[in-house]
Amino acid sequence: MPLLPTTLTYPDSEKRKLDALLRHFEDWTAAALKAAPELKEEIEWMVFDGFYPHYFGKKPRVLFIGREAREIAGFNYLDQLHTAYRTTKKIGGLHLNTSQFHRRTLCTAYGLMNGLPEWKDIPDADEIGDGFATAEGVSFAFMNLSKFSNESDHWSSNWQRIQESVRQATMGRNFIAEQIALLEPDVVITMNLEDYFPALGEKPEYLGTYGDECVSAWALTSHRHKSLLLNGFHFSAPGKRDLDHFYLPIVEAVRAHHH
């Protein structure tokens, strides 16, 4: 039975949330096995995710939602990334500062939690990583839409598997919306996932677009929890610029709607 991270140290104030998330994933696994017994092996190797230590002490609380984990079946997503951010400073063979996805995630989170500074004033990702998931540093929540790990050598997303994982998670209870509600984010950042909005909660209310339509803003209600949802390009989209296509539109949307 997969469990949440054991190697990460959480403050006592977050232990209750961690336990609730663990129970949530146990229910989720049981429901998925019942719905699709033929996928038993994949379900038993589901990749779990949630929040890093000290997330609940941050303002605003930021949740990033990606598509799927890669090549870490049966592992805990947070455990794997925590080590990369804090210690090895490497993702795959890439240095943290040159890994587009993780650089943009860390730098965007830093900006949101430090009064929306100019992009040029945000430290490099490896430096942000030094204090990551501490009381003083940056911390956030992260979840993938699909809990199945993509074990293929191709970089493209396995949409068929993502759809199957989402279908199972929303057949009776909506486990995805419930996970968002458990994490209680103020701001949710999704990466080109508009087709999957029904899985995130009630139909979101459209609020506007920012940065030449790079980011759309929505009012999201997930299992009674309300948050600001920002949907933009995938953080590893090729040919996109950190400032113009990601950070500035996100800052504009947050200034307009997050009070």
Side-chain angles (χ1 to χ4, degrees), residues 159-179:
W159 288 109
Q160 195 183 339
R161 292 279 300 283
I162 293 170
Q163 281 159 5
E164 178 56 32
S165 181
V166 170
R167 189 184 71 80
Q168 284 173 29
T170 53
M171 276 169 74
R173 285 168 62 177
N174 183 338
F175 286 99
I176 296 171
E178 282 184 39
Q179 186 181 358

Side-chain angles (χ1 to χ4, degrees), residues 174-193:
N174 183 338
F175 286 99
I176 296 171
E178 282 184 39
Q179 186 181 358
I180 295 171
L182 262 173
L183 295 169
E184 298 179 55
D186 299 309
V187 179
V188 177
I189 295 178
T190 57
M191 307 184 193
N192 200 8
L193 292 179

Side-chain angles (χ1 to χ4, degrees), residues 97-132:
N97 294 350
T98 54
S99 166
Q100 288 186 330
F101 184 89
H102 296 284
R103 178 184 74 242
R104 287 168 177 161
T105 302
L106 285 164
C107 294
T108 300
Y110 180 96
L112 290 172
M113 285 163 217
N114 287 279
L116 309 176
E118 287 191 42
W119 182 259
K120 65 177 174 54
D121 297 329
I122 293 176
D124 287 340
D126 60 350
E127 196 182 319
I128 297 169
D130 289 341
F132 181 70

Side-chain angles (χ1 to χ4, degrees), residues 36-106:
E38 72 282 3
L39 292 175
K40 181 174 185 289
E41 197 177 325
E42 277 153 314
I43 291 164
E44 286 177 347
W45 288 96
M46 289 205 310
V47 176
F48 291 122
D49 43 36
F51 65 97
Y52 289 99
H54 298 281
Y55 158 75
F56 282 96
K58 304 302 170 193
K59 281 189 169 63
R61 287 195 292 267
V62 181
L63 163 65
F64 294 95
I65 301 183
R67 295 171 184 171
E68 59 181 359
R70 316 274 323 193
E71 298 181 29
I72 54 169
F75 285 101
N76 182 288
Y77 185 90
L78 305 177
D79 259 13
Q80 301 285 307
L81 269 296
H82 184 271
T83 307
Y85 290 172
R86 288 288 294 273
T87 315
T88 65
K89 310 291 181 188
K90 275 196 162 51
I91 304 279
L94 284 180
H95 187 275
L96 201 50
N97 294 350
T98 54
S99 166
Q100 288 186 330
F101 184 89
H102 296 284
R103 178 184 74 242
R104 287 168 177 161
T105 302
L106 285 164

